[in-house]
Amino acid sequence: MLVYAKSMKNSISIVIAFVLIACQNGSETLATLYGLPKKLKEVSGIVYAEKDDLFWTLEDKGNANKIYGLNAKNGAIEKTVTIENAINTDWEDITKDAVGNLYIGDFGNNDNVRKDLCIYKIDKESLNQKNAIAAYRISFSYPEQNEFPPKKTKLFFDVEGFFEYKNYFYLFTKNRSKGFDGTAFVYKIPNKAGLHQAVLMGEFKTCDNYNHCAITSATISPDASKVVLLTHDKIVLFEGFEGDDFLKGKQSQLKLNHFSQKEAICFKNNETLIIADEKTNKVGGNVYEVNLSTLKSVP
């Protein structure tokens, strides 16, 4: 499994390099706000804190157990908070609740072998400190997973995108299966301390090309009318749903006209999206802004 995961990651990097060389990062859609600070090489999630006008971000596996508050206007690091009682096994996304508490998703699971998946709550009052203690830990497992790892054609239990909505977390899986067909699952977990069984809400499909349709981040609009999922060159939009029945809404894919290793997305307001990508082969490592109204559907 490890060889397969490394091979897949290498192939993604090669594809990104060739596409970016051809396109020279050109896009009539995305506006580059600024480059990420040089110390942040593997940003894997982003969320907007309106009160402080900061983008909170983090890095994934192999990086520090820290979160960073970026000045929303220029991208400079204004705050760095070390989460003392949390290990960065594979932090893949960050989100917030309605009152401004942050949540770290430690659920990266490339090889589908982890049994220590969890989410950390960081109280908003802790965000002015250099060192903080996670208020509590939400641990969970997938009832549908019986093998660790499953067969190569059943690698459905990696997650890189989630959000919090009305005291529940919604996780969108990243399909790493051999013979990728775009299948993704949506799981629901209560926002409370303890060990929980994730509840499968349903499944949907993106497209059958891993490099273009594997899900790398997720977000919900402030008014909860839209759910957006990120891939390397497009977003998947759900709208017109009721409550948390996202999959019964209208699903569409919108082109970003830009291919890179995009790993993080959030809403700044109900129409404006913020996207960040990792730097790959000297390309990327930026924060972008785009208005939903400017995006066109994939044919």
Side-chain angles (χ1 to χ4, degrees):
M1 284 305 308
L2 184 58
V3 172
Y4 177 72
K6 286 182 177 178
S7 175
M8 183 174 286
K9 187 172 183 179
N10 289 339
S11 66
I12 294 171
S13 297
I14 292 170
V15 171
I16 290 173
F18 277 112
V19 174
L20 288 174
I21 288 170
C23 298
Q24 290 296 308
N25 244 357
S27 172
E28 297 177 356
T29 303
L30 291 183
T32 303
L33 294 181
Y34 34 71
L36 286 162
K38 290 183 178 180
K39 70 178 296 181
L40 300 181
K41 294 180 172 60
E42 295 184 304
V43 164
S44 59
I46 196 166
V47 68
Y48 181 56
E50 184 176 9
K51 181 179 178 181
D52 299 318
D53 199 25
L54 293 177
F55 293 128
W56 284 99
T57 189
L58 43 68
E59 296 186 284
D60 59 15
K61 183 177 181 180
N63 291 288
N65 53 324
K66 298 180 179 183
I67 57 175
Y68 305 89
L70 307 182
N71 183 304
K73 294 181 176 62
N74 59 31
I77 298 176
E78 289 196 356
K79 297 182 180 181
T80 300
V81 182
T82 299
I83 313 303
E84 293 186 342
N85 60 336
I87 297 172
N88 187 345
T89 303
D90 196 357
W91 293 3
E92 286 291 355
D93 208 355
I94 187 168
T95 191
K96 65 179 182 180
D97 60 23
V99 297
N101 300 307
L102 300 185
Y103 299 87
I104 297 168
D106 189 356
F107 39 51
N109 193 18
N110 290 9
D111 301 326
N112 283 221
V113 297
R114 289 185 62 183
K115 296 183 180 180
D116 58 350
L117 305 168
C118 67
I119 297 164
Y120 295 102
K121 178 183 179 179
I122 313 300
D123 281 335
K124 60 182 179 180
E125 290 80 8
S126 300
L127 298 176
N128 290 319
Q129 305 170 13
K130 291 184 177 181
N131 296 281
I133 301 294
Y136 58 76
R137 170 175 167 154
I138 305 102
S139 299
F140 66 94
S141 61
Y142 303 108
E144 290 72 25
Q145 183 174 9
N146 300 309
E147 297 178 293
F148 298 83
K151 296 178 181 178
K152 290 183 179 180
T153 55
K154 302 292 182 181
L155 299 179
F156 297 121
F157 303 103
D158 183 24
V159 169
E160 293 191 3
F162 83 136
F163 55 78
E164 202 270 1
Y165 173 59
K166 292 189 175 180
N167 295 315
Y168 284 91
F169 298 106
Y170 297 87
L171 283 65
F172 296 80
T173 63
K174 183 175 185 178
N175 185 340
R176 291 186 176 273
S177 302
K178 184 177 181 180
F180 178 88
D181 67 353
T183 297
F185 297 144
V186 185
Y187 281 97
K188 181 177 181 178
I189 301 168
N191 181 359
K192 60 182 179 180
L195 176 61
H196 307 282
Q197 295 253 310
V199 175
L200 179 61
M201 296 186 66
E203 66 178 81
F204 62 99
K205 288 192 177 184
T206 51
C207 77
D208 60 5
N209 187 313
Y210 178 87
N211 290 316
H212 295 278
C213 286
I215 296 167
T216 60
S217 190
T219 187
I220 189 168
S221 59
D223 65 3
S225 68
K226 306 177 189 71
V227 166
V228 167
L229 312 178
L230 180 67
T231 76
H232 290 324
D233 64 356
K234 63 178 68 66
I235 64 169
V236 180
L237 171 67
F238 290 96
E239 55 187 339
F241 49 81
E242 294 186 6
D244 66 355
D245 206 351
F246 312 125
L247 300 187
K248 287 192 176 177
K250 178 186 175 183
Q251 178 183 345
S252 56
Q253 294 188 35
L254 306 178
K255 298 185 292 183
L256 294 174
N257 297 321
H258 182 282
F259 191 97
S260 66
Q261 194 169 336
K262 298 177 183 67
E263 298 284 347
I265 194 168
C266 68
F267 276 94
K268 189 174 182 182
N269 54 50
N270 289 318
E271 294 297 327
T272 305
L273 290 167
I274 301 298
I275 296 171
D277 55 5
E278 289 188 15
K279 195 164 189 175
T280 305
N281 296 312
K282 298 183 179 181
V283 178
N286 298 314
V287 175
Y288 309 91
E289 182 179 276
V290 64
N291 192 289
L292 269 173
S293 65
T294 67
L295 301 179
K296 296 180 180 180
S297 298
V298 176

